[in-house]
Amino acid sequence: LLDALATTLGSGEPPRAWLDAERTARDAIDRVLDASGPQFEGRIVRDVATALPEGAALVVASSLPVRALEWCMAPRDGLSMFSNRGANGIDGFTSTVFGIATAYPGPVVGLCGDLCFLHDVNGLLNSTTAPATFVVIDNDGGGIFSFLAQRDLPEFETLFGTPHGLDLVAVARAHGVTAERVDDTSTLKDALASGESRVLVVPVDRNASVARHRELWAAVAAALGR
C-alpha cells in the first residue's frame, strides 16, 4: 500500500505550506518548552533526543513517552530509534534495552515511564552484559490517564493513577545499577554518554504536566491560526 501511494504521489518535495506550518509549529513548541516552569514530558524527551551523541540509539517505551517524543522531538540525524510493543505496551522494556545494547555499536538509551520501568525492573540484572542508560520519567503512576476523561472519576487514583510511592533511585541501586535524580534535563548530555549502565530518574508532577501540555497545544494552534 505504501509503495503504491509513494508511486502515485511521486518523490517531489512536500508542499511549501506544510513545510511552513512545520517550522511555525516547531517555533511555538520550543518557546513553550524553553519557558520557565515545572518539568514535563515534552521538555524531557526533547532534551534527551537532542543531547544524545551522534550514532546513539534511543529505545522509547509505549504510552506517554512515545507520544511526547512524537509531539516534541526536534528533527535531527544520526539517531536510531527503537520501540517495543508488548501485550500492554510496556512488557519487557528494560530487558529489550539491554538486548539492543549487546548488538548496537553506539550508546543506547532507554526512555520510559515509571510504571514501565517497574514492570520489568528485574531486567536491570542484565546491566553487566552491555552498558545502557535509562531515563525514567517518574510521575508516580499512569500519567497518560490524567489526559483522558476518566481523570474526573472518584476512583481514578485507584484504577488509573495507580501511584507506587517508590524511590526509583533506591530501586535501581538495589539492583546494583548507578542511579540519580535529575531535576534539569538540559544537563543530561554527559550522563547520556557515560559508557556505563545507569538510571536517571526525572520527577514530574502529573497535574502540572497536563497543564503544560495543554499550554503547548494551545500555542501551536494559535501560531497556526487554528
Side-chain angles (χ1 to χ4, degrees):
L1 173 63
L2 295 179
D3 284 341
L5 182 62
T7 299
T8 301
L9 295 177
S11 58
E13 288 293 316
R16 179 164 295 278
W18 280 103
L19 298 175
D20 291 343
E22 168 66 19
R23 283 189 288 268
T24 299
R26 182 75 251 166
D27 289 344
I29 289 169
D30 286 332
R31 283 196 299 272
V32 174
L33 298 185
D34 291 333
S36 61
Q39 291 194 119
F40 71 114
E41 290 82 358
R43 170 67 184 268
I44 294 166
V45 301
R46 186 203 61 175
D47 288 354
V48 168
T50 300
L52 285 171
E54 188 83 5
L58 180 60
V59 190
V60 59
S62 299
S63 196
L64 192 50
V66 72
R67 288 170 171 83
L69 195 75
E70 181 186 14
W71 300 330
C72 299
M73 177 182 167
R76 60 161 294 183
D77 294 322
L79 183 61
S80 297
M81 304 292 296
F82 297 89
S83 62
N84 181 29
R85 182 73 183 180
N88 296 305
I90 58 175
D91 303 68
F93 178 80
T94 304
S95 300
T96 296
V97 173
F98 282 117
I100 291 172
T102 61
Y104 193 79
V108 175
V109 173
L111 174 66
C112 66
D114 49 326
L115 295 184
C116 175
F117 177 71
L118 289 169
H119 198 70
D120 187 32
V121 70
N122 284 347
L124 289 178
L125 298 176
N126 294 309
S127 63
T128 58
T129 61
T133 299
F134 292 83
V135 178
V136 182
I137 302 170
D138 183 9
N139 52 36
D140 194 26
I144 193 169
F145 296 109
S146 296
F147 291 82
L148 306 178
Q150 57 261 50
R151 65 172 297 170
D152 296 323
L153 295 174
E155 63 271 26
F156 174 80
E157 283 298 305
T158 301
L159 298 182
F160 297 97
T162 61
H164 51 78
L166 297 174
D167 180 348
L168 300 187
V169 171
V171 169
R173 289 174 178 171
H175 287 77
V177 178
T178 299
E180 61 184 284
R181 174 185 168 117
V182 176
D183 292 307
D184 182 359
T185 53
S186 66
T187 66
L188 281 175
K189 187 172 184 178
D190 291 339
L192 293 176
S194 67
E196 66 170 326
S197 291
R198 61 170 56 195
V199 174
L200 307 172
V201 179
V202 188
V204 169
D205 177 86
R206 273 192 261 147
N207 292 328
S209 172
V210 172
R212 295 216 63 191
H213 277 103
R214 287 177 175 167
E215 179 186 351
L216 182 74
W217 300 329
V220 171
L224 294 175
R226 301 297 181 183

